[in-house]
Amino acid sequence: MKNIHCLLFLLIAITVQAQPARFKEKKEQIRALKTAYISTALSLTTEESVKFWPLYNAFEDKQRDIKLDKWKRYIDNTEGNLDELNTKEATALLTKMEMDEDLMYQNRKKFIQSLKEFLPAIKILKLKKAEDQFNQKLLQQFRNKKEH
C-alpha cells in the first residue's frame, strides 16, 4: 500500500511539472491517478466498480461544466475590475454564482442518492475522504514544485 502511494505521488509530481503544451495530457494523467487512488481507497468489488465509474465520471464531468460556466460568466462580467460593476450588475452576478453553487450541490446530492442504491454508506463516506485526500496531495505536490 505504501509503495502504491509513493508511486502515485511520484506520478503526480511528474504530471504537475509537465509543460503547459501538454495540459490535456496532464489532465488525463491526473484523472487516471485519481481513479487509481479512489479505487484503492474504496476497495470496490467488480460489480460495484461497473456501476460506480460511469456514474462518477458523469458526475465529475457535470461538476466541471458547471464550474467552467460559472467562471466564464464571472470573467465575462468582470473583464476589467469588480469596482466597475454597478450594484445591479454585481447583485445579478452574485445571484448567478449562488445558483451555480446550488446546482453543484444538487448534482452532488443526486449523485450520492444514486450511489446509495448499490454502495454501502461507509464506501460513500470513504469516497468523499479519498477525493479530499487526493486533492490535498495534488495541491501539496503543486506547492512543492513552486518552492523548488
Side-chain angles (χ1 to χ4, degrees), residues 44-56 118-119:
L44 296 171
T45 66
T46 303
E47 185 178 307
E48 290 170 339
S49 190
V50 166
K51 293 177 183 177
F52 175 80
W53 287 111
L55 280 175
Y56 186 78
F118 64 93
L119 275 183

Side-chain angles (χ1 to χ4, degrees), residues 64-79 93 96-97 100:
R64 185 191 67 243
D65 291 345
I66 295 167
K67 286 177 189 176
L68 288 174
D69 287 346
K70 178 176 84 171
W71 286 111
K72 183 181 183 318
R73 196 169 25 258
Y74 177 78
I75 289 168
D76 288 348
N77 285 294
T78 59
E79 287 175 0
L93 181 58
K96 288 177 185 173
M97 290 176 73
D100 288 336

Side-chain angles (χ1 to χ4, degrees), residues 12-23:
I12 290 170
I14 292 168
T15 301
V16 171
Q17 293 177 2
Q19 298 174 3
R22 294 177 36 199
F23 179 75

Side-chain angles (χ1 to χ4, degrees), residues 1 16 36 39 53 60 69 74 92 104-105 112 125 136 141:
M1 187 70 162
V16 171
S39 293
W53 287 111
E60 285 277 291
D69 287 346
Y74 177 78
M104 289 177 67
Y105 169 75
I112 290 171
L125 292 172
Q136 287 173 357
Q141 289 291 326

